Amino acid sequence: MLTVAVRNGWTRCRLLLQPVAFGIRQLSGNRGATTAAQQNWQARVDLAAAYRALDQLGYNEGICNHLSLMTPSADGSGAELMLLVPYGLHWSRVRASDLVGLDAAGRVVEGNGRAETSAATIHRPLHEARPEAKAVFHLHSPYATALSCLQDSRLRMVHQNCLYFLNSIAYDLDYSGVSVQDSEGARLASCLAPDKTCLMMANHGYLVLAETAAMAFHYSYYLERCAMYQLLAMQTGRELKELDPAFAKAAQQDMLKFAERDGDQFFRAVQQKLRDEGSDFEK
């Protein structure tokens, strides 16, 4: 059963349980024959780049975090699949061809390998609940994760880049353990109102939802930076200087006007950096 309560203006979510199924099939080799196949391959390239770049930034832990991206099936069937890294592959080695595609039932129908259980149970229900969110990134970067470990884990408006997240972060206040059931994704989705793009997960890490891999990368990067500024400022023991709420709301509109442009350009620059370093993420 799912229960949601509100405490001090924050959403508190409880757990509900259901099973998820898996299966495996080979990836179609005809990647460039149709528009669907081309879209599928581009999604694979973008997601592989995000895995590689976020690994370089140190935003993951072991092999236990996941990034997912929705894409048309490469076979042109019209089905929409969820791409993610196969279980056991380190982010530093992810290539476009390595990613597995899961269907609506959680079965692997593109690629070789299997999906890690918690990745499937968290990400697919989030995509279903927020269909506009083609990209869902779950990360344990140092500063944002440290912020999630505080009793008061709110991101404060202490830096201009925090304006990206003004009124767009939801807070899951109860750690619910390792996800092994599909319903955990539904529980987390219930914490995210339509106007929320990030979820701080108590004692755990955070989620970022966006329409593209580029914007998910952009917001993941800046959420970590903002958490870093806040925690470093808090270490001084001096009072935080927060932006005036009325001014912050108006200034946010200016930030958001250019967010998509800047996010796309940032992600292209990151991909070029990977190419210059000799990365094989596009294979």
Side-chain angles (χ1 to χ4, degrees):
M1 170 182 247
L2 176 67
T3 61
V4 181
V6 176
R7 186 184 71 183
N8 296 332
W10 291 5
T11 303
R12 176 179 289 273
C13 302
R14 304 278 182 201
L15 184 62
L16 112 94
L17 301 175
Q18 280 180 341
V20 64
F22 297 93
I24 296 179
R25 196 172 49 168
Q26 285 291 104
L27 170 66
S28 167
N30 191 17
R31 287 192 280 261
T34 68
T35 299
Q38 292 168 353
Q39 292 174 351
N40 180 288
W41 186 248
Q42 186 59 56
R44 287 173 170 277
V45 169
D46 288 345
L47 191 58
Y51 273 110
R52 291 289 189 102
L54 290 169
D55 172 71
Q56 289 184 344
L57 290 168
Y59 282 21
N60 57 321
E61 286 188 320
I63 56 171
C64 301
N65 299 144
H66 300 89
L67 319 175
S68 61
L69 186 63
M70 301 300 294
T71 184
S73 173
D75 62 12
S77 65
E80 191 172 37
L81 305 181
M82 182 180 76
L83 297 176
L84 76 165
V85 67
Y87 177 70
L89 182 62
H90 195 272
W91 286 22
S92 64
R93 298 183 60 197
V94 176
R95 301 173 303 174
S97 59
D98 292 322
L99 298 167
V100 294
L102 276 64
D103 66 11
R107 296 183 297 258
V108 175
V109 296
E110 281 187 6
N112 297 308
R114 68 180 181 89
E116 198 270 332
T117 302
S118 64
T121 56
I122 289 176
H123 286 244
R124 187 77 206 201
L126 284 167
H127 285 295
E128 291 173 351
R130 295 283 297 274
E132 82 285 359
K134 300 299 184 182
V136 174
F137 287 11
H138 173 47
L139 299 162
H140 291 178
S141 57
Y143 289 98
T145 301
L147 188 60
S148 81
C149 296
L150 298 179
Q151 185 65 37
D152 181 356
S153 59
R154 288 174 295 176
L155 183 73
R156 312 282 283 275
M157 296 296 111
V158 295
H159 186 271
Q160 65 175 4
N161 288 332
C162 298
L163 294 173
Y164 280 130
F165 308 103
L166 178 64
N167 298 323
S168 69
I169 301 179
Y171 295 85
D172 179 17
L173 301 181
D174 291 322
Y175 176 68
S176 58
V178 176
S179 175
V180 295
Q181 301 290 342
D182 207 26
S183 54
E184 176 63 359
R187 186 189 75 83
L188 294 171
S190 73
C191 299
L192 285 157
D195 63 336
K196 305 302 181 187
T197 57
C198 303
L199 178 65
M200 294 294 292
M201 305 164 71
N203 311 106
H204 188 167
Y206 60 98
L207 287 164
V208 172
L209 286 70
E211 293 184 5
T212 65
M215 291 311 299
F217 184 92
H218 185 77
Y219 288 132
S220 297
Y221 175 85
Y222 280 106
L223 181 61
E224 171 68 2
R225 298 288 292 187
C226 292
M228 179 187 73
Y229 297 141
Q230 178 175 326
L231 292 178
L232 289 175
M234 290 169 66
Q235 287 179 14
T236 68
R238 298 165 63 183
E239 184 178 2
L240 295 177
K241 179 176 176 57
E242 297 191 59
L243 297 172
D244 175 78
F247 172 80
K249 188 174 181 179
Q252 182 189 43
Q253 299 308 308
D254 293 330
M255 291 280 290
L256 295 180
K257 286 178 185 176
F258 305 105
E260 185 173 353
R261 181 203 65 183
D262 293 346
D264 287 344
Q265 186 60 46
F266 181 27
F267 197 49
R268 284 197 295 270
V270 166
Q271 290 185 343
Q272 188 58 52
K273 175 178 179 291
L274 290 171
R275 293 186 191 102
D276 292 345
E277 293 167 348
S279 173
D280 61 351
F281 73 97
E282 293 174 290
K283 292 185 178 179

